[in-house]
């Protein structure tokens, strides 16, 4: 009997040794498995899966602790997709889970609900009994906690289970640190490569749109984000418009806009400093990223320094992913500064091109004035002196006609000089351009191109308000010629000289009709009188009509 007892005890001890050996081998395999990958999110999920296998837990999770001592990421294992969908929300780091954050020490419980710090489970959460929690440390920093529940077979987690998970957590801390260092190295390489590409694009004179497209793509890669959007302010500065987007939901965001006040991008735009949120869906701050794809972690980085912000780079990740950290955002802020340089260089390049164009126009104007006009004037003076020497009336008449043509040519060249010297606004057409556009538009209705003369410094001397009146009168005059004149020729003259702006429209049509409707002409007369000017519409001696609208350039009021 004694021998049988000893043999039985030996067998139990051998089985215990074999079981311990198997668990040690399993722990060693788990350590190797956890450290075999360098992608941080893959490493974290593998840690949870390995821990549940080692201690026969039905469920496991890893909670990543944020800067405010709350859970910023929760990675569950053992739940089905249906069970996950039924859970109202993931834990925020309160109650029992919060205790592990406040006191990062191993914790074993026979029943979770018996602990005084237990808050219970959120709606839809499956019931869980036994519990084992172990902190995950990376050097001296608590990175997160391992949570294991519901040991299979209805038992409790014992000291051996705790020792195994603590050993795994120690190895996991090394694996997490390696993954972090690898990600940091990869991110720096990406940053250097992207910076080199941006600098090359800037030096090669690429368009701002190309540079911003490249920047959005590289910024998303650097931050491992799911979407990146570059937003620039509108003219009012009250809205931010998406000008480039890279990643998911790009089609919806392509032409989106958001207000500056109270938004994530607006805070970065007005403050000149990066802004981050852990979960955009639960944040009180709205963003252009809110849409069909639920966005969790989000960040907005200003393009430029405070006081000279030209736009915003906004990035987002799907819900459940690790939030952006300070190091990432600082690097993105430095990188985004290159976008501000791109926009600045583009503006300076446009200014330089505009200045070069103005210098060329000024040179041409001076050449026309100093050379061409003087020569034409000298030719005209020579012809005028020769008129007295010609006895035949026909020859004298031809010389006078040539002199008149030279005078008209000189006036047209002077008008061209005024046009060349007038400042040009890229967004607002000049008065000359608008007059030409109106006259050319009349060709389709008249059946022929009206004649046009422009004299004086129209773009310099005519105010915007007076220009609006002039264009309205010209539009009405051409409309009357189309509807009533039945003319084969229409001549338009616009001149600004001697302190007056004059519009003269003449045709060879049927002329004014006695007793005809004059409501349109009355409007033209009222416009002239309200500006202190005069208006006439009368027949021409040779047939047709002559419309003259004349107002002071100073827009003086009558009396």
């Amino acid at each position: 009997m004694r021998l049988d007892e000893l043999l039985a005890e030996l067998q139990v001890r051998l089985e215990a040794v074999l079981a311990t050996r198997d668990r040690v081998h399993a722990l060693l395999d788990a350590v190797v498995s956890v450290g075999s990958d360098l992608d941080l999110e893959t490493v974290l999920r593998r840690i949870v899966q390995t821990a549940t296998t080692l201690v026969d837990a039905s469920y496991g999770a890893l909670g990543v602790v944020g800067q405010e001592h709350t859970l910023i990421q929760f990675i569950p294992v053992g739940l089905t997709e249906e069970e996950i969908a039924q859970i109202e929300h993931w834990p925020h780091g309160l109650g029992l889970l919060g205790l592990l954050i406040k006191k990062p020490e191993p914790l074993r419980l026979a029943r979770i609900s018996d602990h005084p710090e237990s808050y219970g489970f959120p709606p839809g959460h499956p019931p869980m009994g036994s519990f084992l929690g172990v902190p995950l440390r990376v050097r001296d920093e608590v990175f997160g906690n391992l949570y294991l529940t519901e040991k299979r077979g209805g038992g409790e987690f014992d000291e051996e289970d705790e020792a195994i998970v603590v050993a795994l957590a120690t190895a996991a801390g090394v694996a997490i640190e390696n993954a972090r260092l690898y990600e940091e190295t990869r991110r720096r390489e990406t940053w250097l490569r992207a910076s080199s590409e941006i600098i090359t694009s800037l030096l090669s004179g690429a368009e701002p749109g190309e540079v911003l497209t490249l920047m959005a793509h590289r910024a998303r890669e650097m931050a491992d984000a799911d979407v990146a959007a570059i937003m620039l302010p509108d003219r009012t500065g009250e809205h931010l418009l998406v000008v480039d987007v890279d990643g998911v939901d790009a089609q919806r965001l392509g032409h989106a806009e958001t207000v500056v006040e109270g938004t994530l991008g607006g805070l970065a735009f007005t403050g000149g400093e990066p802004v981050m949120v852990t979960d955009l869906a639960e944040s009180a701050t709205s963003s252009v990223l809110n849409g069909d794809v639920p966005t969790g972690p989000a960040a907005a980085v200003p393009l430029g320094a405070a006081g000279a912000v030209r736009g915003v780079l906004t990035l987002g990740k799907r819900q459940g992913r690790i939030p952006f950290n300070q190091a990432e955002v600082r690097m993105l802020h430095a990188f985004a500064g290159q976008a501000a340089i791109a926009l600045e260089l583009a503006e300076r390049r446009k200014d330089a091109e505009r200045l070069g164009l103005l210098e060329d126009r000024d040179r041409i104007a001076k050449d026309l004035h100093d050379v061409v006009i003087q020569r034409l004037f000298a030719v005209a003076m020579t012809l005028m002196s020769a008129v007295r020497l010609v006895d035949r009336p026909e020859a004298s008449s031809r010389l006078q006609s040539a002199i008149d043509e030279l005078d008209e040519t000189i006036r047209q060249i002077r008008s061209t000089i005024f046009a060349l010297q007038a400042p040009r606004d890229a967004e607002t057409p000049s008065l000359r351009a608008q007059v030409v556009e109106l006259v050319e538009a009349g060709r389709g209705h008249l059946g022929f191109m009206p004649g046009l003369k422009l004299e004086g410094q129209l773009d310099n001397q005519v105010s915007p308000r007076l220009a609006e009146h002039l264009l309205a009168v010209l539009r009405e005059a051409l409309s009357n010629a189309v509807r009533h004149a039945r003319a084969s020729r229409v001549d338009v003259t616009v001149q600004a000289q001697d302190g007056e702006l004059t519009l003269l429209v003449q045709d060879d049509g049927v002329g004014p009709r006695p007793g005809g409707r004059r409501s349109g002409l009355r409007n033209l007369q009222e416009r002239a009188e309200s500006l202190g000017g005069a208006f006439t519409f009368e027949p021409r001696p040779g047939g047709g009509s002559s419309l003259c609208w004349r107002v002071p350039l100073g827009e003086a009021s009558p009396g």
Side-chain angles (χ1 to χ4, degrees):
M1 292 291 294
R2 181 61 179 166
L3 180 60
D4 291 341
E5 290 177 0
L6 291 174
L7 290 174
E9 182 179 352
L10 179 61
Q11 185 176 1
V12 169
R13 291 190 177 186
L14 286 174
E15 290 175 354
V17 170
L18 291 174
T20 301
R21 184 202 62 181
D22 292 340
R23 298 195 77 176
V24 170
H25 285 170
L27 178 60
L28 293 175
D29 291 340
V31 170
V32 173
S33 175
V34 165
S36 63
D37 206 298
L38 291 175
D39 178 72
L40 182 57
E41 294 195 27
T42 303
V43 168
L44 296 180
R45 183 164 294 278
R46 187 168 293 173
I47 290 170
V48 187
Q49 292 171 337
T50 304
T52 55
T53 302
L54 285 174
V55 296
D56 288 331
S58 300
Y59 306 104
L62 191 151
V64 180
V65 180
Q67 294 179 346
E68 298 179 357
H69 300 289
T70 58
L71 296 180
I72 59 175
Q73 188 180 19
F74 199 77
I75 303 173
V77 169
L79 298 173
T80 64
E81 293 294 333
E82 292 77 12
E83 288 174 325
I84 292 176
Q86 291 175 2
I87 298 175
E88 186 175 297
H89 62 82
W90 291 120
H92 297 291
L94 304 175
L96 187 60
L97 303 190
L99 178 62
L100 276 172
I101 297 175
K102 291 182 288 185
K103 296 181 178 180
E105 300 174 355
L107 177 64
R108 275 188 298 121
L109 299 172
R111 292 189 61 81
I112 297 176
S113 58
D114 294 340
H115 196 279
E117 295 283 344
S118 178
Y119 274 19
F121 298 102
H125 199 287
M128 295 180 180
S130 53
F131 175 84
L132 173 59
V134 175
L136 279 174
R137 296 179 184 273
V138 177
R139 297 184 181 175
D140 294 330
E141 170 196 358
V142 176
F143 177 82
N145 291 301
L146 263 176
Y147 308 114
L148 304 166
T149 62
E150 202 65 19
K151 188 174 179 69
R152 289 185 176 90
E156 300 177 11
F157 296 107
D158 54 24
E159 293 182 359
E160 188 175 342
D161 293 329
E162 180 181 325
I164 288 177
V165 176
V166 168
L168 177 65
T170 303
V174 176
I176 292 172
E177 177 67 7
N178 290 339
R180 275 181 163 183
L181 292 174
Y182 172 75
E183 283 200 354
E184 182 68 20
T185 302
R186 183 178 58 84
R187 193 177 297 114
R188 289 184 180 276
E189 290 178 356
T190 305
W191 184 80
L192 291 173
R193 184 170 62 252
S195 296
S196 175
E197 287 182 293
I198 296 298
I199 292 172
T200 301
S201 299
L202 292 175
L203 294 178
S204 64
E207 290 296 320
E210 298 178 15
V211 178
L212 293 180
T213 299
L214 177 61
M215 180 153 300
H217 178 66
R218 291 306 186 197
R220 187 180 66 83
E221 284 186 342
M222 288 165 55
D224 194 23
D226 294 307
V227 62
I230 292 180
M231 299 184 290
L232 301 180
D234 63 1
R235 294 181 183 176
T236 65
E238 297 178 354
H239 293 80
L240 293 172
L241 311 177
V242 175
V243 298
D244 213 294
V245 60
D246 186 80
V248 299
D249 216 10
Q251 185 174 2
R252 180 187 67 84
L253 292 174
H255 303 285
E257 68 175 71
T258 182
V259 296
V260 171
E261 186 176 357
T263 61
L264 185 69
L267 292 174
F269 181 74
T270 55
E273 293 293 335
V275 181
M276 295 184 298
V277 293
T278 301
D279 193 336
L280 187 61
E282 297 183 1
S283 172
T285 306
S286 62
S287 170
V288 72
L289 300 180
N290 289 331
D292 300 333
V293 178
T295 302
V301 180
L303 306 181
V309 179
R310 296 180 172 271
V312 177
L313 169 65
T314 304
L315 302 104
K317 296 182 181 181
R318 287 189 175 91
Q319 282 185 326
R321 295 195 58 194
I322 297 177
F324 300 99
N325 57 49
Q326 291 290 345
E328 289 175 330
V329 174
R330 283 195 299 269
M331 183 171 58
L332 287 170
H333 193 192
F335 182 69
Q338 298 184 12
I341 296 175
L343 298 174
E344 181 74 19
L345 286 177
E347 287 188 7
R348 294 293 176 264
R349 191 180 298 120
K350 287 182 179 179
D351 290 341
E353 292 173 355
R354 190 179 298 112
L355 181 61
L357 177 61
L358 291 176
E359 289 177 347
D360 287 342
R361 290 161 63 89
D362 189 56
R363 178 181 54 79
I364 293 170
K366 287 180 179 178
D367 289 344
L368 288 174
H369 181 271
D370 298 340
V371 180
V372 178
I373 286 184
Q374 297 302 322
R375 290 188 177 182
L376 290 176
F377 187 73
V379 172
M381 294 295 292
T382 303
L383 292 177
M384 287 178 65
S385 63
V387 169
R388 294 189 297 269
L389 303 177
V390 177
D391 295 333
R392 295 180 60 182
E394 293 180 0
S396 178
S397 175
R398 289 184 180 181
L399 282 174
Q400 189 62 49
S401 296
I403 293 170
D404 294 340
E405 286 295 329
L406 284 173
D407 287 341
E408 179 63 25
T409 302
I410 290 173
R411 283 196 295 270
Q412 291 296 327
I413 292 176
R414 280 177 176 162
S415 178
T416 302
I417 291 173
F418 292 144
L420 288 172
Q421 293 176 335
R424 292 293 181 90
D425 188 343
E427 298 180 356
T428 304
S430 66
L431 177 57
R432 288 174 175 272
Q434 295 181 76
V435 170
V436 172
E437 184 179 359
L438 270 180
V439 172
E440 288 183 346
R443 182 198 313 198
H445 302 287
L446 290 168
F448 56 88
M449 181 65 189
L452 176 63
K453 293 181 181 179
L454 300 172
E455 299 181 4
Q457 300 186 38
L458 296 175
D459 295 327
N460 288 340
Q461 295 185 349
V462 181
S463 66
R465 177 172 175 265
L466 198 55
E468 291 180 6
H469 284 286
L470 173 70
L471 294 172
V473 173
L474 176 57
R475 193 177 292 110
E476 179 67 22
L478 291 174
S479 176
N480 287 338
V482 171
R483 290 180 294 174
H484 307 300
R486 287 183 285 175
S488 60
R489 180 180 177 83
V490 175
D491 292 310
V492 177
T493 301
V494 182
Q495 58 182 209
Q497 60 185 22
D498 300 329
E500 284 189 332
L501 174 64
T502 303
L503 169 64
L504 182 64
V505 181
Q506 297 178 318
D507 64 68
D508 62 356
V510 298
R513 297 180 182 179
R517 296 179 59 186
R518 301 180 64 84
S519 59
L521 299 177
R522 189 178 303 111
N523 291 335
L524 303 186
Q525 183 173 358
E526 291 175 355
R527 282 181 183 271
E529 292 176 350
S530 69
L531 296 169
F535 169 78
T536 59
F537 182 66
E538 55 192 12
R540 295 177 64 194
S545 60
S546 176
L547 181 151
C548 182
W549 188 83
R550 180 181 288 109
V551 295
L553 284 171
E555 303 180 45
S557 300

